[in-house]
Amino acid sequence: PLLFRGISSATATANLEDIIGLEDEKQQLQDIIQLSMEGIVETRGVLLYGPPGCGKSLLAEILARHCPAAFIKVFVPRLLNMGINASAKFIREIFEKADNASPAVLFFDGLIDREKHFVLNQILVEMDCLTPNTKIIVLAATNQLEIIKSSLTRPGHFDQQIFVPSPNEINRRKIIETFISKLPSISDDVVDLDFLSQKTAGFTAADVKQLCKNALRLAIKESRSATKLSKTHFEEALKFTHSSVTVDENE
Ligand code: ATP
């Protein structure tokens, strides 16, 4: 479960267009991966950072799938239970697998500060040991900003960093619109998109999706039909769906 070649089922059918907003971030990561894989500008590590639920994993997994390289993902929090020696061995083996499968994208999702003494250190050691010019890019995602202050960002490690922000008003609107467009015969005019995109200031992309799901659940509970989803259900859902983070509005 820690490792897979290919991608997780959640993103297996997702496309670049499913990432709402993040146009610059998408382009930046795409360029880094492409230039490195083509041997034009080598990049060893890219750190994606920003609030939770705003698309770091989505971005990494979908873009990696779009390049001709093996994709290996490690969900770092699960390594914490393994203990120092076992996790170090695991990480070493992962790098070996990536080397054998090269070109490869190795993605460490959910890096957190407290394991820096072993998981993080081992990742850095393995990055140092990679053969120069080998076509391996290490991506890592974190929502802990302290990480970027650590040795992680030293040249040769994660010297490329991409901030993945919370969605602005326009993108919150798009997330709601997209959700509604997938429902059977719901038209945008039964919900007030301007009102909702304003009311969700400070929400992460995942929070906005959660709001939509909560509103839909209310509609189904009331009338057993998704087509009856309306402004009232969203207003009701707004009473108990809140932002999961404290973030500045970045618009
Ligand atoms: P964490 O730091 O908690 O790992 P994350 O930034 O990696 O979070 P994801 O796991 O990529 O966030 O996204 C969480 C959920 O929110 C997913 O279901 C994803 O589909 C949705 N989501 C996040 N960002 C976007 C976005 N920009 N466009 C569309 N959906 C998004």
Side-chain angles (χ1 to χ4, degrees):
L2 286 166
L3 159 73
F4 51 89
R5 200 69 48 92
I7 48 155
S8 67
S9 54
T11 49
T13 54
N15 288 308
L16 277 175
E17 309 78 67
D18 294 316
I19 305 174
I20 295 173
L22 306 180
E23 295 306 329
D24 291 348
E25 294 77 5
K26 225 187 277 182
Q27 192 60 55
Q28 211 181 332
L29 186 57
Q30 206 164 14
D31 289 347
I32 291 172
I33 296 178
Q34 196 173 340
L35 288 175
S36 194
M37 288 299 171
E38 288 172 3
I40 299 170
V41 184
E42 197 194 338
T43 298
R44 185 55 78 216
V46 185
L47 181 67
L48 303 172
Y49 69 102
C54 288
K56 297 183 292 295
S57 313
L58 203 60
L59 204 59
E61 293 186 19
I62 294 177
L63 283 182
R65 184 153 57 95
H66 277 75
C67 71
F71 180 57
I72 300 172
K73 172 175 163 173
V74 178
F75 188 57
V76 175
R78 296 217 191 148
L79 296 184
L80 291 178
N81 303 328
M82 291 171 69
I84 299 180
N85 293 340
S87 73
K89 180 167 176 279
F90 182 84
I91 294 167
R92 201 173 314 125
E93 286 169 2
I94 289 286
F95 272 85
E96 267 167 34
K97 278 187 206 297
D99 213 9
N100 292 335
S102 163
V105 175
L106 191 44
F107 177 39
F108 290 96
D109 198 7
L111 266 195
I112 53 175
D113 207 29
R114 81 191 137 93
E115 76 259 9
K116 78 173 161 210
H117 296 305
F118 59 111
V119 176
L120 220 52
N121 279 349
Q122 191 64 34
I123 292 172
L124 300 180
V125 166
E126 297 302 331
M127 286 173 85
D128 285 337
C129 293
L130 283 171
T131 332
N133 303 324
T134 184
K135 287 196 170 32
I136 295 178
I137 296 192
V138 184
L139 304 182
T142 183
N143 50 48
Q144 299 210 341
L145 297 191
E146 306 82 66
I147 287 255
I148 63 163
K149 291 189 213 128
S150 74
S151 59
L152 257 184
T153 53
R154 204 176 84 191
H157 289 153
F158 294 89
D159 46 342
Q160 296 290 314
Q161 297 144 35
I162 301 177
F163 177 61
V164 180
S166 284
N168 62 16
E169 192 175 321
I170 295 168
N171 291 325
R172 292 195 300 272
R173 187 191 167 102
K174 275 194 205 152
I175 293 171
I176 302 166
E177 255 176 328
T178 306
F179 183 89
I180 291 171
S181 72
K182 289 180 181 155
L183 297 176
S185 65
I186 290 261
S187 65
D188 289 359
D189 54 7
V190 293
V191 296
D192 186 340
L193 290 171
D194 288 335
F195 169 82
L196 289 174
S197 46
Q198 283 158 19
K199 279 286 177 192
T200 48
F203 277 40
T204 66
D207 294 336
V208 177
K209 284 193 170 173
Q210 189 58 43
L211 174 76
C212 295
K213 284 186 199 165
N214 286 343
L216 182 60
R217 279 195 196 102
L218 291 174
I220 291 174
K221 194 170 160 197
E222 190 181 281
S223 60
R224 313 298 317 152
S225 167
T227 59
K228 294 284 191 299
L229 177 65
S230 72
K231 188 173 187 262
T232 334
H233 301 116
F234 274 97
E235 281 171 356
E236 203 49 43
L238 269 173
K239 292 182 186 161
F240 61 91
T241 316
H242 305 287
S243 166
S244 56
V245 289
T246 320
V247 284
D248 295 332
E249 267 292 73
N250 40 63
E251 41 195 330

